[in-house]
Amino acid sequence: KFPLEDLCALISRSLGLIANSTGPIHLARALGKYVLGFYSTVPACHPIRWGPYGQEFSNTLLPPGESFSNFAKSKEQSKQNFQKFEPAVIDSAIKKIFRF
C-alpha cells in the first residue's frame, strides 16, 4: 500500500517479480524484468488474455490439472488445483526464468 511511483521504483531495482495475475506483474514486464506469474484458467483470469505480454506461456504457471487450451470448470475447482502445486515445480520455474 504505497504510491505507484514507489512500486515502479522498487520493481526497477529488482531482478524480477513473482506474483499472481496483477498489475505489478505487467509493470515488471514493461520495465524489462523477469516475471513469473501464477494464473488460473477460469475464463476471467486466463493467461492467454491476461498473462505477461509476450510471455504468456514461458513465464506462467498454471495450477495442476489446468492447461492453456481450455478453461477451468469452476473457480472453486481452480482454487483447489492451486493447493496442489508442488514446490519443486515452482522452484524449477524460478531457476529457469530467473536463470539461477
Side-chain angles (χ1 to χ4, degrees):
K1 294 186 175 186
F2 48 87
L4 182 59
E5 295 83 13
D6 292 351
L7 177 61
C8 289
L10 176 66
I11 293 171
S12 73
R13 290 176 177 84
S14 68
L15 178 63
L17 182 72
I18 301 170
N20 62 328
S21 172
T22 62
I25 210 165
H26 299 289
L27 289 173
R29 181 68 186 118
L31 291 168
K33 303 298 178 177
Y34 296 116
V35 297
L36 175 59
F38 291 87
Y39 287 81
S40 165
T41 60
V42 172
C45 306
H46 202 286
I48 295 299
R49 180 171 183 187
W50 300 109
Y53 181 73
Q55 300 180 2
E56 296 87 349
F57 298 100
S58 61
N59 292 29
T60 301
L61 283 180
L62 300 177
E66 296 183 32
S67 75
F68 285 101
S69 61
N70 59 26
F71 296 109
K73 294 185 185 336
S74 71
K75 288 182 185 179
E76 193 55 44
Q77 181 61 52
S78 187
K79 191 179 196 180
Q80 291 173 11
N81 290 345
F82 265 100
Q83 295 174 3
K84 297 175 186 174
F85 262 116
E86 293 291 329
V89 171
I90 298 168
D91 184 58
S92 176
I94 290 169
K95 288 177 179 172
K96 179 180 141 195
I97 292 165
F98 289 82
R99 300 182 174 101
F100 290 138

